[in-house]
Amino acid sequence: MTAKTSPEAPLPIRSVLQMVAQWIGKLGTIWVEGQITELTARGGTVFLTLRDPVANVSARVTCTRNVYEASVPRPVDGARVVMHVKPDFWVNKGSFSFTATEIRPVGIGELLARLERLRHVLAGEGLFNVDRKRRLPFLPSTIGLICGRDSAAERDVLENARRRWPAVRFKVEAVAVQGPYAVGEVTDALSRLDADREVDVIIVTRGGGSLEDLLPFSDESLVRAVAACRTPVVSAIGHEQDSPLLDLVADVRASTPTDAAKKVVPDVGEQLTLVRQLRDRGRRVVGGWVERELSWLGSVRSRPSLADPVRELDRRAEQVDALRERSRRSLTSSLDRSADSLEHLRARLVALSPAATLERGYAIAQRASGEVVRLAGDVKPGDELTIRFSDDRVTVTAQE
């Protein structure tokens, strides 16, 4: 229904509110879910605020005391419930509220079933994959801590961390850790710490509690906010047996707040002991290596060639002298043998030489061409011949 209005023909406010009341009245009765806060009872009427479990939205609800007491167990502040309500709009005040005709607490089984369905959805998106998880820094300079106001969990983390490493620094965000405001406050604190460049790791912690108390840490919006953080997040919610969805998406899960301090901050005593052990080990390794090298050097220095280098030179010089003398004797002997052989050859040549024959009284007749005349019949009268003697030669002419 759309009202036609203009600046010249406005509607009275009562007409507008009546139209709103008519539209709301057509909605009829509906089932709604939320978390009870600000629960009060006056006379036969119970007043409460029903908050949305995720968004920062709420509405006033009234019911009779009989309706409230008929719910088993009886709802208290912080309880998650389902209500059968009828929306009401009060024209005189322009206010809106619900009138509840039935209240049903959300049972543990129903809550667990919803959490299991949500866990499957988030796991299917890969938010719990191991390869998404980041390693914590060895020694964070500043730790972001999200915890309850003046809580035992805060004291446990601070005391144990400073006992292990006194110089560690914290940026503490005190927030509501249960109830309708918890999800929003924790998410806002997480965003502030994640945006802070000085913060190296974020711890989200609170002590133990019932399933309903820990429900904010299984909220889908908070789980997605942790998955989107650039800073490593440590979840330390409740005790060992508690396992909200925040534990699955966090980079590291600690069983208790004390365990979170131990996982994030190294123990200075343990590290000093480790340094001493490594230093001693290094000293032993280096000492052993030096001893081995000294032993090797001693064995090398004890060798004759290094222990007395001059002696080795003398020995080599003696070898050179011996080889030189041996070569001289060998060469002399070879020359003597060669000289004897040469003398023998010379004697043989002399014995076979024509000059030696001439000296014994023989002569050689040769033609002008140098040809030797061997037989007398080869000479004709008138041939000129050269007669060669041992000391000279004469030219003659042959006759009859």
Side-chain angles (χ1 to χ4, degrees), residues 270-286:
E270 293 178 358
Q271 296 305 313
L272 290 176
T273 301
L274 179 60
V275 169
R276 285 194 296 270
Q277 292 174 350
L278 292 175
R279 186 173 56 193
D280 293 342
R281 180 182 177 186
R283 185 182 295 112
R284 289 193 301 271
V285 171
V286 173

Side-chain angles (χ1 to χ4, degrees), residues 20-32 50 59-63 67 82-90 95-103:
V20 171
Q22 292 174 4
W23 184 87
I24 292 176
K26 294 179 180 179
L27 187 61
T29 58
I30 54 175
W31 287 95
V32 296
L50 190 65
R60 294 295 297 172
V61 180
T62 61
C63 66
V67 171
V82 174
M83 293 184 178
H84 194 230
V85 297
K86 178 181 180 300
D88 292 318
F89 185 79
W90 304 97
S95 60
F96 175 83
S97 66
F98 290 110
T99 299
T101 58
E102 186 178 352
I103 302 176

Side-chain angles (χ1 to χ4, degrees), residues 3-269:
K4 295 181 180 180
T5 62
S6 67
E8 293 76 20
L11 288 177
I13 186 65
R14 64 178 183 277
S15 300
V16 175
L17 295 180
Q18 287 172 355
M19 292 165 55
V20 171
Q22 292 174 4
W23 184 87
I24 292 176
K26 294 179 180 179
L27 187 61
T29 58
I30 54 175
W31 287 95
V32 296
E33 179 186 2
Q35 192 172 25
I36 292 178
T37 61
E38 302 175 9
L39 177 64
T40 59
R42 291 195 295 269
T45 305
V46 176
F47 302 89
L48 57 91
T49 298
L50 190 65
R51 291 189 58 84
D52 187 88
V54 176
N56 189 20
V57 177
S58 63
R60 294 295 297 172
V61 180
T62 61
C63 66
T64 63
R65 185 179 289 271
N66 291 335
V67 171
Y68 172 72
E69 294 178 349
S71 177
V72 180
R74 194 169 298 173
V76 295
D77 269 345
R80 185 76 68 91
V81 296
V82 174
M83 293 184 178
H84 194 230
V85 297
K86 178 181 180 300
D88 292 318
F89 185 79
W90 304 97
V91 175
N92 293 340
K93 295 183 179 181
S95 60
F96 175 83
S97 66
F98 290 110
T99 299
T101 58
E102 186 178 352
I103 302 176
R104 296 182 183 179
V106 176
I108 298 297
E110 177 62 22
L111 289 176
L112 290 176
R114 293 181 183 180
L115 291 179
E116 185 64 19
R117 288 194 294 270
L118 179 59
R119 186 182 70 82
H120 280 295
V121 171
L122 298 177
E125 296 179 12
L127 267 62
F128 303 152
N129 290 352
V130 176
D131 55 3
R132 294 187 69 259
K133 299 184 183 300
R134 294 152 293 188
R135 295 182 60 183
L136 301 183
F138 170 70
L139 182 59
S141 60
T142 303
I143 301 172
L145 178 62
I146 301 175
C147 57
R149 298 175 179 86
D150 299 323
S151 62
E154 177 185 0
R155 292 191 297 272
D156 287 346
V157 173
L158 296 180
E159 291 175 3
N160 283 280
R162 286 167 179 161
R163 188 181 301 120
R164 294 171 65 83
W165 200 280
V168 69
R169 295 182 301 170
F170 279 89
K171 287 192 175 181
V172 180
E173 292 280 351
V175 298
V177 291
Q178 69 182 57
Y181 302 100
V183 174
E185 292 188 12
V186 172
T187 303
D188 291 343
L190 186 69
S191 299
R192 288 192 295 272
L193 292 176
D194 188 46
D196 192 334
R197 295 293 180 178
E198 295 183 356
V199 176
D200 297 323
V201 62
I202 300 172
I203 300 176
V204 183
T205 185
R206 66 149 287 162
S210 64
L211 176 63
E212 292 84 352
D213 293 339
L214 302 182
L215 276 179
F217 299 97
S218 293
D219 184 82
E220 182 177 0
S221 63
L222 177 58
V223 171
R224 293 188 182 278
V226 171
C229 281
R230 65 168 185 84
T231 308
V233 177
V234 177
S235 172
I237 307 301
H239 301 297
E240 180 67 34
Q241 66 274 14
D242 299 321
S243 182
L245 297 183
L246 184 64
D247 284 351
L248 302 179
V249 74
D251 298 290
V252 174
R253 189 251 179 182
S255 57
T256 62
T258 300
D259 185 45
K262 293 180 179 179
K263 289 182 181 295
V264 173
V265 181
D267 189 299
V268 63

Side-chain angles (χ1 to χ4, degrees), residues 381-394:
D383 289 345
E384 286 188 359
L385 300 174
T386 299
I387 305 302
R388 183 178 177 183
F389 300 96
S390 61
D391 59 344
D392 202 355
R393 66 183 67 188
V394 295

